[in-house]
């Protein structure tokens, strides 16, 4: 085999090219690692946000599953807070507070003429013990029934203890209440 001699200035060029290529590959690997790490952090943050949002929605569902918020809005949740252990380690991860307390956005007395007497719920409104004739306090016929349709606003603020992230969920719920409850000004939203 014949040996090819290169001029002196061409010797070592392959080594230099290999080093440059290695440095470029190293930089690409570092950039890929950082992008993967950032994507993992973003996915984790999205999961935390979803868990906090779910906790807030669960608290709202807990409130509207009973009528306690109608009778006593301040006692809708015991202590006005509820805590959740998301990862099952025995410590509460998310705390949800009702802030402000549930309140009535709108209440409208139902007229007797609007009731369907064949419906048992409507019959209870028309045939209440206090005012079976629909007469007002002064003895004047008002046409009002003993019930009102109301729209309640329930706001839950959930906070993740680990990240400090907060989510606020505001839900409106329609409830038929007594006409007396509809006139209770302490339950009306500010």
């Amino acid at each position: 085999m014949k040996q090819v001699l290169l001029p002196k200035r061409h010797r070592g060029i392959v080594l230099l090219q290999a080093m440059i290529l290695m440095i470029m590959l190293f930089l690409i690997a570092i950039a890929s690692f950082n992008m993967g790490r950032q994507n993992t952090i973003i996915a984790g943050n999205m999961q935390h946000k979803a868990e906090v949002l779910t906790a807030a929605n669960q608290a709202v569902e807990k409130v509207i599953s009973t009528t306690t918020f109608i009778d006593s809005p301040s006692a809708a949740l015991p202590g006005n807070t509820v805590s959740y252990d998301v990862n099952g380690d025995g410590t509460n991860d998310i705390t949800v507070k009702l802030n402000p307390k549930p309140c009535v956005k709108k209440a409208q007395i139902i007229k007797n003429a609007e009731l369907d007497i064949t419906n048992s719920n409507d019959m209870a409104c028309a045939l209440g013990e206090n005012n079976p004739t629909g007469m007002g306090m002064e003895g004047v016929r008002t046409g009002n029934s003993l019930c009102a349709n109301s729209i309640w606003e329930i706001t839950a603020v959930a906070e993740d203890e680990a990240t400090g992230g907060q989510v606020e969920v505001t839900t409106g719920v329609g409830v038929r209440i007594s006409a007396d409850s509809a006139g209770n000004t302490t339950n009306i939203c500010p």
Side-chain angles (χ1 to χ4, degrees):
M1 185 151 141
K2 192 174 184 185
Q3 186 177 20
V4 178
L5 293 175
L6 296 173
K8 276 192 163 193
R9 62 175 202 214
H10 290 286
R11 292 185 186 164
I13 193 86
V14 173
L15 180 62
L16 181 62
Q17 288 175 343
M19 287 180 67
I20 290 173
L21 189 61
M22 290 294 287
I23 290 171
M24 287 175 49
L25 288 173
F26 179 72
L27 292 175
I28 290 171
I30 289 175
S32 297
F33 175 76
N34 284 337
M35 285 180 14
R37 187 171 151 258
Q38 288 173 351
N39 287 340
T40 303
I41 290 170
I42 290 169
N45 287 341
M46 289 177 68
Q47 180 180 353
H48 281 294
K49 181 181 178 182
E51 289 170 349
V52 173
L53 181 62
T54 300
N57 283 324
Q58 284 178 342
V60 168
E61 291 294 326
K62 187 174 186 174
V63 168
I64 65 176
S65 67
T66 67
T67 58
T68 305
F69 74 94
I70 297 169
D71 302 327
S72 178
S74 298
L77 283 176
N80 202 35
T81 63
V82 64
S83 297
Y84 296 97
D85 178 15
V86 177
N87 56 9
D89 65 354
T91 59
N92 292 326
D93 302 308
I94 298 172
T95 302
V96 182
K97 296 179 182 177
L98 295 181
N99 188 18
K101 69 178 184 172
C103 59
V104 176
K105 286 297 266 186
K106 179 182 177 184
Q108 183 175 3
I109 305 293
I110 302 170
K111 298 290 184 185
N112 280 320
E114 297 171 358
L115 297 175
D116 177 10
I117 303 304
T118 61
N119 182 333
S120 62
N121 290 331
D122 285 357
M123 183 167 255
C125 292
L127 301 177
E129 294 177 20
N130 296 340
N131 194 1
T133 63
M135 300 293 283
M137 293 294 249
E138 298 82 28
V140 177
R141 184 170 291 280
T142 63
N144 292 341
S145 72
L146 298 176
C147 296
N149 288 326
S150 64
I151 298 174
W152 289 75
E153 183 176 274
I154 302 168
T155 303
V157 179
E159 182 175 357
D160 186 341
E161 301 294 331
T163 64
Q166 282 189 341
V167 172
E168 181 176 308
V169 173
T170 302
T171 302
V173 62
V175 181
R176 180 172 282 187
I177 59 176
S178 71
D180 293 338
S181 294
N184 186 352
T185 57
T186 60
N187 293 342
I188 296 174
C189 292

